[in-house]
């Protein structure tokens, strides 16, 4: 049985079992599914193509008997000549005296080892009597712990295979194997460990890639279904006519993508299920408009709505624009850490007695002292900055509102499918008409005066600029010092009629607010800032974004900063000051100058940084796959997602016998269902 401990196997004693346990191998099944992390593939190439010092494989005819010399204690050196492509090549083998008898003149031999191109000599690490076959050329390499060697582990896996290989059962419906042309589970396990040739290995890997994705998708989607079913009784009867009137009052009509996302959100509000939706859209794609409309819908249903944002500046800005937008239609209050004393008490009581319809704030919103009257709908902006904990707090307060997460960091399709597989996703993938593409320029620091003069010219035309100051890694204090220095430098450089402002995270909220207001009113023309302006700030008259040390930022963050300009109808510019040392850094600057589309950019960012880095270390929630690679195998990922969707929607696990083994597997896995968050 596959579930038996490894110690059942011949040759696995206590010490070996301990070592295996440290590799997370406990059962025979664990062992059989412990796949190599890479394969060394040795190809026989013509001598002329072999590279000095590389590990190579050659095949030739032994010319005469090897000579054996001993030295030191128990050390030996075996050398012989072989003929490869009519050329004499020297082979050296250390400490394999026993091989002397096997290496016989005129016989073929295949050698792998380090190549010395100058002396036409190979230092052999592996040899095989006879000519090369495909099989000999692929060497699986396992990740090892304890006293294990690659050879020893391979041997134990071989034992496990010959004694228990027949117990490996198919998990996928048979017709999947046919339509995807993938091998059965048992054959695929064998090929992963003992690949006969490249093609067989490729198909085995294809199979497990698909299997891993499918199982993962099935789990996520089942979880989503269970979550939905466990949160019934949440219907918001909004007034469609009023909502339509509200939309018609906008000075623009919604884009198709906005309308579609809005419809999905409204359907969620109306449905008895709790909304758990992610709204994705590039900066400036008009998410805020969609958010406002759906908040309004919730109000017409007699509920309170909350908008949570990551920074105070943003909270204040949203508060202002929503207040303008709603006029008399709703009572909107602002609750942040800097709302204090009597004012705070007043606001808290309007939230509790239901006078407040919309509450805008930072995570101050979810503190204990805040008691909602009837919270029906929560929008979380830039959701990746909120921890899972914070989302949970609301529910711990006995509230079970519809929740919409908004993000302007376009999440690569590949990650969205995996990381947010248990959420519904709406995407605004279209910009309002008439937007001009921002021109992005990459330059070096020595052009700074030219940049300042360029800004002066645009300012003379009535436009405005942001200058993001240099970044000091992990030092808030120095960042601010840099901003202050730059601020003074610019103040000196420009004539008095150009007003330079300074913005950084340590300023008191009132001062930040004042500065943003001055900038919005064009009383400040050039705003020197740390990255606090990154998210959401909206000043349509600003047309220039200068970013110092651009190489220090991720592509998505640069794109966010760039999104602060290009919000009006004038041509905008983003100037990246960067002198990246490495190739990756240069590549990133190049991508920024060439790519305006946030989704495309995020895909590129993901490729350069890898999934672990993308969301920051901790909270990614991205699963580790053994064989599959989310970036390279995204087609398989999409196929698996669609298949999983079909399986769940059509209830195939229960209705179709072909899905029996999948069902059994999932039933086992789903003993964790009570952990639903
Ligand atoms: P996001 O929140 O996605 O960054 P916003 O909602 O702030 O984008 O919209 C950016 C700007 O575009 C705002 O000035 C907004 O008034 C405007 N806008 C939004 N939707 C449209 C539209 N359909 N047509 C024209 N302008 C729009
Ligand atoms: Mg916005």
């Amino acid at each position: 049985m596959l579930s038996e401990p490894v110690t059942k196997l011949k040759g696995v004693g206590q010490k070996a079992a301990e070592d295996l346990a440290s590799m997370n191998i406990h059962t025979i099944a664990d062992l059989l599914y412990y796949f190599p992390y890479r394969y060394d593939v040795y190809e026989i190439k013509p001598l002329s193509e072999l590279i000095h010092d590389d590990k190579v494989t050659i095949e030739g005819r032994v010319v005469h008997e090897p000579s054996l010399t001993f030295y030191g204690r128990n050390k030996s050196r075996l050398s012989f000549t072989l003929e490869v492509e009519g050329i004499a090549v020297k082979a050296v083998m250390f400490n394999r005296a026993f091989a002397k008898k096997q290496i016989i003149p005129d016989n073929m031999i295949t050698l792998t080892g380090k190549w010395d191109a100058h002396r036409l000599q190979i230092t052999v690490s592996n040899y095989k009597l006879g000519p090369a076959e495909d099989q000999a050329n692929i060497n699986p390499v396992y990740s090892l712990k304890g006293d294990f060697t690659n050879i020893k582990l391979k041997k134990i896996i071989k034992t496990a295979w010959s004694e228990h290989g027949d117990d490996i059962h198919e998990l996928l419906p048979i017709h999947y194997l046919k339509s995807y042309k993938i091998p059965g589970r048992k054959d695929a396990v064998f090929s992963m460990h003992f690949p006969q040739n490249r093609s067989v290995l490729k198909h085995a890997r294809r199979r497990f890639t698909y299997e891993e994705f499918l199982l993962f998708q099935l789990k996520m989607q089942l979880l989503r279904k269970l979550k939905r079913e466990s949160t019934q009784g949440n219907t918001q009867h909004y007034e469609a006519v009023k909502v339509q009137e509200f939309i018609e009052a906008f000075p623009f009509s919604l884009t198709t993508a906005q309308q579609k996302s809005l419809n999905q959100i409204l359907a969620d509000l109306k449905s008895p299920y709790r909304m758990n939706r992610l709204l994705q859209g590039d900066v400036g794609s008009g998410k805020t408009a969609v958010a406002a409309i759906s908040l309004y819908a919730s109000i017409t249903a007699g509920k309170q709505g909350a908008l949570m944002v990551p920074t105070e500046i943003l909270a204040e800005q949203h508060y202002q624009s929503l207040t303008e937008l709603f006029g008399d239609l709703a009572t909107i209050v602002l609750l942040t850490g800097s709302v204090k004393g009597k004012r705070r008490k007043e606001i808290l009581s309007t939230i509790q007695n239901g006078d407040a319809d919309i509450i805008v704030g930072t995570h101050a919103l979810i503190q204990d002292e805040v008691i909602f009257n009837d919270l029906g709908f929560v929008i979380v902006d830039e959701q990746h900055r909120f921890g899972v904990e914070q989302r949970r707090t609301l529910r711990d307060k006995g509230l079970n509102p519809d929740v919409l997460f908004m993000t302007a960091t376009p999440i690569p399709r590949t990650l969205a499918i995996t990381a947010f597989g248990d959420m519904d996703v709406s995407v605004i993938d279209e910009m309002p008409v008439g937007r001009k593409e921002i021109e992005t320029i990459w330059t070096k620091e020595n052009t700074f005066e030219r940049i300042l003069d360029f800004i002066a010219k645009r300012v003379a035309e009535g436009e405005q600029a942001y200058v993001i100051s240099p970044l000091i890694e992990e030092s808030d204090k120095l960042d601010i010092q840099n901003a202050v220095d730059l601020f003074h430098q610019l103040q000196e450089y420009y004539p008095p009629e150009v007003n330079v402002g300074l913005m950084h995270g340590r300023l008191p909220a009132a001062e930040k607010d004042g500065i943003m207001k001055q900038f919005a009113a064009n009383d400040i023309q050039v705003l020197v800032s740390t990255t606090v302006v990154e998210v959401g700030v909206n000043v349509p008259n600003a047309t220039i974004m200068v970013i110092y040390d651009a190489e220090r930022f991720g592509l998505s963050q640069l794109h966010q900063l760039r999104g602060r300009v290009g919000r009006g109808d004038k041509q905008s510019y983003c100037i990246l000051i960067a002198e990246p040392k490495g190739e990756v850094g240069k590549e990133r600057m190049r991508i920024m100058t060439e790519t305006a589309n946030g989704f495309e950019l995020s895909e590129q960012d993901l490729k350069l940084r890898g999934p672990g880095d993308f969301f920051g270390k901790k909270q990614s929630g991205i699963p580790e796959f053994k064989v599959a690679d989310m970036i390279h195998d995204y087609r398989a990922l999409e196929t698996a997602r669609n298949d999983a969707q079909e399986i769940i929607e059509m209830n195939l696990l229960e209705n179709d016998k072909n899905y029996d083994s999948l069902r059994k597997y999932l039933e086992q896995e789903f003993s964790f269902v009570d952990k639903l968050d």
Side-chain angles (χ1 to χ4, degrees):
M1 260 180 21
L2 291 178
S3 57
E4 282 177 314
V6 283
T7 41
K8 284 269 166 173
L9 291 171
K10 210 168 43 199
V12 180
Q14 203 47 47
K15 169 68 176 128
E18 273 166 33
D19 285 347
L20 288 171
S22 71
M23 296 181 243
N24 236 333
I25 301 172
H26 308 281
T27 64
I28 290 162
D30 293 340
L31 190 58
L32 286 172
Y33 294 115
Y34 193 77
F35 295 143
Y37 76 96
R38 79 178 153 85
Y39 297 84
D40 284 339
V41 180
Y42 302 116
E43 248 181 326
I44 298 189
K45 291 186 189 152
L47 285 184
S48 60
E49 283 176 27
L50 299 183
I51 292 166
H52 182 67
D53 268 358
D54 261 10
K55 198 168 183 184
V56 303
T57 298
I58 57 175
E59 167 196 60
R61 195 178 53 81
V62 180
V63 175
H64 44 68
E65 215 166 89
S67 67
L68 179 64
T69 50
F70 287 93
Y71 62 100
R73 257 177 50 135
N74 298 331
K75 290 195 173 142
S76 71
R77 181 180 191 274
L78 191 66
S79 64
F80 59 97
T81 309
L82 71 164
E83 186 195 312
V84 183
E85 300 168 26
I87 293 167
V89 169
K90 203 168 171 204
V92 187
M93 260 191 232
F94 290 98
N95 307 326
R96 307 228 186 140
F98 57 86
K100 185 176 193 306
K101 280 189 285 235
Q102 303 171 337
I103 298 169
I104 298 160
D106 276 339
N107 282 6
M108 293 297 288
I109 189 165
T110 306
L111 305 173
T112 296
K114 193 168 152 178
W115 180 241
D116 184 331
H118 310 305
R119 298 150 103 184
L120 291 180
Q121 177 174 310
I122 185 168
T123 306
V124 177
S125 54
N126 252 314
Y127 70 100
K128 181 181 162 298
L129 302 173
E133 281 160 23
D134 260 349
Q135 180 187 2
N137 298 338
I138 304 179
N139 188 32
V141 183
Y142 296 90
S143 147
L144 301 163
K145 291 211 175 111
D147 288 342
F148 264 82
T149 61
N150 210 47
I151 292 174
K152 184 172 168 194
L153 183 60
K154 233 157 79 177
K155 206 170 142 197
I156 292 177
I157 291 174
K158 191 149 209 164
T159 311
W161 168 262
S162 50
E163 288 175 19
H164 299 273
D166 285 338
D167 296 341
I168 299 175
H169 294 301
E170 186 52 63
L171 204 56
L172 302 175
I174 305 303
H175 63 281
Y176 280 30
L177 305 186
K178 287 199 187 112
S179 55
Y180 295 136
K181 298 194 171 62
I182 48 179
R185 204 163 205 247
K186 183 181 157 194
D187 289 349
V189 167
F190 182 80
S191 300
M192 290 299 285
H193 295 295
F194 314 106
Q196 301 293 310
N197 55 52
R198 276 176 198 252
S199 145
V200 157
L201 176 60
K202 193 177 110 192
H203 292 302
R205 291 180 59 93
R206 257 193 341 113
R207 185 221 145 86
F208 284 113
T209 296
Y210 175 79
E211 180 184 304
E212 283 184 326
F213 283 152
L214 183 74
L215 295 178
F216 177 70
Q217 282 297 320
L218 279 171
K219 280 185 226 167
M220 292 294 262
Q221 295 192 24
L222 274 173
L223 207 58
R224 175 162 67 181
K225 194 175 156 193
L226 290 168
K227 270 191 196 172
R228 275 184 157 242
E229 286 166 1
S230 69
T231 58
Q232 295 218 21
N234 185 339
T235 303
Q236 300 201 32
H237 300 283
Y238 65 86
E239 295 182 41
V241 177
K242 280 193 178 171
V243 173
Q244 194 53 38
E245 280 167 9
F246 187 70
I247 296 172
E248 275 157 22
F250 277 102
F252 46 76
S253 50
L254 297 180
T255 61
T256 311
Q258 278 174 314
Q259 188 66 58
K260 192 172 151 199
S261 299
L262 179 64
N263 292 345
Q264 291 167 338
I265 293 166
L266 291 178
D268 283 354
L269 286 178
K270 201 154 58 179
S271 87
Y273 306 120
R274 189 174 61 77
M275 180 193 317
N276 181 33
R277 182 172 290 279
L278 179 72
L279 176 63
Q280 281 196 71
D282 214 340
V283 266
S285 62
K287 291 180 300 299
T288 310
V290 172
I293 298 165
S294 32
L295 278 170
Y296 181 64
S298 183
I299 293 171
T300 69
K303 302 277 183 180
Q304 287 178 308
L307 175 60
M308 271 208 287
V309 298
T311 65
E312 293 202 358
I313 293 185
L314 258 182
E316 283 155 27
Q317 209 172 48
H318 276 298
Y319 170 69
Q320 265 158 28
S321 54
L322 289 179
T323 305
E324 272 169 44
L325 191 64
F326 278 86
D328 296 339
L329 290 174
T331 303
I332 303 172
V333 297
L334 175 69
L335 188 68
T336 62
S338 46
V339 177
K340 294 207 170 83
K342 197 165 150 248
R343 178 95 193 102
R344 189 174 190 88
K345 280 218 177 83
E346 277 167 23
I347 287 176
L348 288 174
S349 77
T350 60
I351 296 173
Q352 185 165 11
N353 69 22
D355 285 347
D357 299 311
I358 298 176
I359 303 97
V360 181
T362 52
H363 42 261
L365 272 187
I366 54 173
Q367 284 160 3
D368 284 343
E369 55 170 350
V370 185
I371 300 161
F372 292 93
N373 186 273
D374 187 3
L375 183 67
F377 187 30
V378 177
I379 300 182
V380 182
D381 197 8
E382 292 307 322
Q383 60 92 26
H384 60 283
R385 296 194 173 203
F386 279 91
V388 176
E389 278 311 311
Q390 288 161 317
R391 299 181 211 166
R392 201 165 288 158
T393 308
L394 271 179
R395 251 167 288 157
D396 289 348
K397 295 169 94 148
L399 299 166
N400 200 21
D402 282 318
V403 182
L404 178 70
F405 299 100
M406 293 205 296
T407 179
T409 306
I411 296 154
R413 227 168 9 143
T414 42
L415 284 193
I417 295 176
T418 45
F420 303 112
D422 63 340
M423 279 188 178
D424 296 300
V425 180
S426 297
V427 183
I428 305 183
D429 52 3
E430 173 188 13
M431 285 297 195
V433 285
R435 287 282 163 75
K436 285 207 177 64
E437 193 160 297
I438 301 164
E439 196 171 314
T440 302
I441 299 134
W442 167 26
T443 176
K444 295 197 171 154
E445 193 170 345
N446 59 20
T447 61
F448 195 55
E449 288 207 356
R450 277 172 55 201
I451 296 170
L452 293 186
D453 292 344
F454 176 70
I455 293 175
K457 267 195 219 139
R458 305 311 317 158
V459 166
E461 299 288 328
E463 297 168 24
Q464 292 165 276
Y466 297 94
V467 181
I468 304 299
S469 58
L471 197 66
I472 308 282
E473 226 151 333
E474 319 214 344
S475 168
D476 235 16
K477 232 178 174 169
L478 289 177
D479 276 350
I480 290 166
Q481 191 53 46
N482 269 328
V484 174
D485 290 347
L486 191 61
F487 167 68
H488 289 308
Q489 197 189 335
L490 264 58
Q491 257 187 335
E492 256 168 55
Y493 191 86
Y494 286 126
E497 63 269 22
V498 176
N499 230 333
V500 182
L502 172 66
M503 170 71 103
H504 59 71
R506 290 280 178 85
L507 292 176
E511 208 169 314
K512 279 191 222 166
D513 190 34
I515 287 167
M516 274 329 287
K517 278 195 184 120
Q518 281 179 281
F519 190 60
N522 198 3
D523 292 337
I524 288 173
Q525 287 80 43
V526 181
L527 183 63
V528 174
S529 176
T530 56
T531 54
V532 290
V533 296
E534 183 197 337
V535 191
V537 174
N538 189 21
V539 180
N541 193 49
T543 57
I544 302 172
M545 168 61 70
V546 180
I547 306 170
Y548 251 104
D549 287 348
E551 76 270 20
R552 300 262 192 97
F553 296 94
L555 286 180
S556 294
Q557 206 183 357
L558 288 173
H559 185 66
Q560 286 293 316
L561 286 166
R562 177 165 66 181
R564 297 310 103 216
V565 297
R567 301 175 81 83
D569 47 12
K570 301 194 194 78
Q571 177 62 53
S572 291
Y573 303 87
C574 174
I575 301 168
L576 307 170
I577 302 176
E579 306 190 15
K581 306 242 152 40
E583 278 313 307
V584 173
K586 286 178 189 156
E587 175 69 6
R588 288 173 48 217
M589 292 305 114
R590 201 187 53 70
I591 292 170
M592 275 301 292
T593 61
E594 290 173 3
T595 312
N597 179 314
F599 280 97
E600 210 175 293
L601 218 124
S602 69
E603 295 281 349
Q604 306 253 27
D605 207 10
L606 178 60
K607 271 181 205 154
L608 290 176
R609 288 203 283 171
D613 265 7
F614 193 82
F615 290 107
K617 296 270 144 33
K618 275 210 192 109
Q619 56 126 185
S620 71
I622 296 166
E624 296 266 330
F625 294 112
K626 276 187 187 173
V627 181
D629 176 323
M630 281 191 297
I631 298 165
H632 294 107
D633 305 322
Y634 75 88
R635 268 172 219 287
L637 180 56
E638 282 182 329
T639 307
R641 184 197 41 183
N642 295 339
D643 291 345
Q645 217 159 358
E646 189 188 75
I647 292 172
I648 304 292
E649 272 168 19
M650 303 183 55
N651 233 335
L652 295 174
L653 294 174
E654 267 121 61
N655 297 341
D656 188 334
K657 273 188 63 172
N658 291 309
Y659 293 79
D660 273 356
S661 28
L662 260 186
R663 195 197 67 237
K664 277 183 202 133
Y665 172 84
L666 288 164
E667 273 167 4
Q668 245 171 25
E669 289 289 299
F670 265 77
S671 41
F672 70 87
V673 159
D674 55 301
K675 278 189 282 181
L676 277 184
D677 86 290

